[in-house]
Amino acid sequence: MENGETLKQQRIAVIGAGVMGCALIKGMLAAGRITRDNVWAVVATSNSQKRIAEELGIRVYRDLPVDEIAQTDTFLICTKPYRVVQVLDQLKASKALKPSGLVVSIAAGTTIKQIETALPNYAVIRAMPNTPSLIRAGVTVLAAGSHSQDDHMLVAQEIFQSVGKVWQLDERHLDAVTAVSGSGPAYIYLILESLADGAVKVGLPRDIAFQLVSQTMLGAAMMVQDTGKHPATLKDEVTTPAGCTISALLTMEDGRIRSTLARAVEEATRTAAGLGNA
Ligand SMILES: NC(=O)c1ccc[n+]([C@@H]2O[C@H](COP(=O)([O-])OP(=O)(O)OC[C@H]3O[C@@H](n4cnc5c(N)ncnc54)[C@H](OP(=O)(O)O)[C@@H]3O)[C@@H](O)[C@H]2O)c1
């Protein structure tokens, strides 16, 4: 089968079509990897049900419909973490699940063990995407459960490739991944805003500051990816002796910027580990 074709054979349910669930549906539709007939969604409120059905042109329910469950190959669980076990219990209670089906959960902190306990012997994949998935520039890391086979992983890869780049790691890394790429966009926004504040302080209009800083961040990130050079090497290459870059860098070091950012990731990892029990 051609790369990207596995998903076309699948019927997909998105349980919890909120910010992330809708981003995934839109991404899969835009990438041509699913058709509107082959995807359905569940939300909690009638407002969301009406809005999403109109916006995406798919079937949206407020309860889990047994006839749909019976025909579904892959369930994407995109509710808040504290709702996941309740949703899995409802799926099991329907007695309609295909034995060969797959559950993919994006809930932060909810472990594969928690999911496999609710659905014994079912194929499970845990995924950690991030919000740039909304513009198909996301990062997703996948971790396989104990009953997940290669073809299940292929399905999950194709889902998340439709909204960005995908890596596969052992589940023990997922709290760290949550802290790095899951929460990461927020750290970058804060850094972007701080640099723009500096630009405003030295006289640039704020809208220009945001454009210059965000494009500089994009360019610097692409330099790391395209050259494969260590960031420290790239930093040294733009640091002229007695120049302004080294003045800025030493000022940042005085503020302990490295350990502050690194410790922030460590703290977020600790918090991520507790989310599934909240
Ligand atoms: N946002 C991120 O950056 C990010 C990144 C990675 C992973 N995640 C994970 O993604 C998950 C969803 O986050 P989100 O930001 O997309 O949340 P969200 O926008 O609040 O979406 C949650 C959705 O779940 C629906 N829902 C609530 N109770 C339900 C139930 N019992 N059955 C079915 N659907 C139900 C809600 O319906 P209504 O609209 O009707 O209320 C809503 O559509 C979380 O577990 C989070 O940990 C989020």
Side-chain angles (χ1 to χ4, degrees):
M1 203 175 296
E2 298 245 330
N3 189 20
E5 293 291 301
T6 310
L7 210 49
K8 286 193 178 149
Q9 322 295 318
Q10 296 270 309
R11 187 164 284 228
I12 312 264
V14 176
I15 313 296
V19 174
M20 294 303 290
C22 281
L24 289 167
I25 299 168
K26 285 180 192 166
M28 288 186 283
L29 289 170
R33 291 192 169 182
I34 52 166
T35 61
R36 288 186 163 72
D37 286 344
N38 275 349
V39 62
W40 56 279
V42 182
V43 292
T45 60
S46 52
N47 275 354
S48 294
Q49 182 183 26
K50 189 165 175 287
R51 177 176 50 79
I52 293 160
E54 279 173 11
E55 191 185 330
L56 301 182
I58 62 168
R59 303 183 298 291
V60 184
Y61 304 95
R62 287 177 58 206
D63 293 307
L64 287 165
V66 175
D67 52 335
E68 291 272 24
I69 294 172
Q71 296 180 59
T72 297
D73 305 291
T74 296
F75 294 86
L76 255 174
I77 311 293
C78 304
T79 60
K80 293 290 187 197
Y82 68 93
R83 296 236 186 248
V84 172
V85 171
Q86 174 201 342
V87 164
L88 298 174
D89 287 346
Q90 287 170 352
L91 282 173
K92 188 176 172 193
S94 74
K95 298 191 187 313
L97 284 172
K98 284 187 182 183
S100 58
L102 167 67
V103 162
V104 181
S105 164
I106 68 165
T110 304
T111 61
I112 289 172
K113 189 171 176 209
Q114 285 173 300
I115 300 170
E116 288 181 343
T117 302
L119 289 180
N121 303 319
Y122 216 71
V124 173
I125 289 176
R126 196 176 149 194
M128 180 43 59
N130 66 7
T131 48
S133 301
L134 297 170
I135 56 161
R136 302 181 69 192
V139 163
T140 303
V141 174
L142 301 173
S146 34
H147 309 290
S148 158
Q149 308 290 328
D150 289 351
D151 52 342
H152 295 123
M153 187 50 77
L154 207 54
V155 168
Q157 282 168 349
E158 290 187 14
I159 290 171
F160 293 96
Q161 277 165 358
S162 65
V163 291
K165 295 193 175 171
V166 178
W167 284 262
Q168 187 183 336
L169 290 176
D170 190 273
E171 193 196 18
R172 71 195 153 89
H173 295 301
L174 277 207
D175 292 327
V177 167
T178 306
V180 175
S181 52
S183 303
Y187 318 154
I188 305 298
Y189 300 141
L190 186 131
I191 294 166
L192 196 161
E193 190 193 7
S194 309
L195 293 175
D197 276 347
V200 171
K201 172 74 178 150
V202 292
L204 287 174
R206 188 165 289 277
D207 58 335
I208 297 289
F210 283 146
Q211 289 173 43
L212 297 186
V213 175
S214 59
Q215 186 56 38
T216 301
M217 283 182 152
L218 267 177
M222 286 172 71
M223 284 288 283
V224 173
Q225 289 193 350
D226 289 1
T227 65
K229 289 183 182 175
H230 192 290
T233 305
L234 291 166
K235 180 207 71 180
D236 287 353
E237 284 172 6
V238 294
T239 311
T240 316
C244 60
T245 309
I246 191 65
S247 299
L249 290 170
L250 290 184
T251 306
M252 290 179 189
E253 298 286 8
D254 288 346
R256 301 173 62 187
I257 189 166
R258 285 170 196 261
S259 62
T260 301
L261 292 174
R263 293 278 182 222
V265 170
E266 189 184 23
E267 188 57 32
T269 305
R270 257 195 294 275
T271 307
L275 288 180
N277 307 319

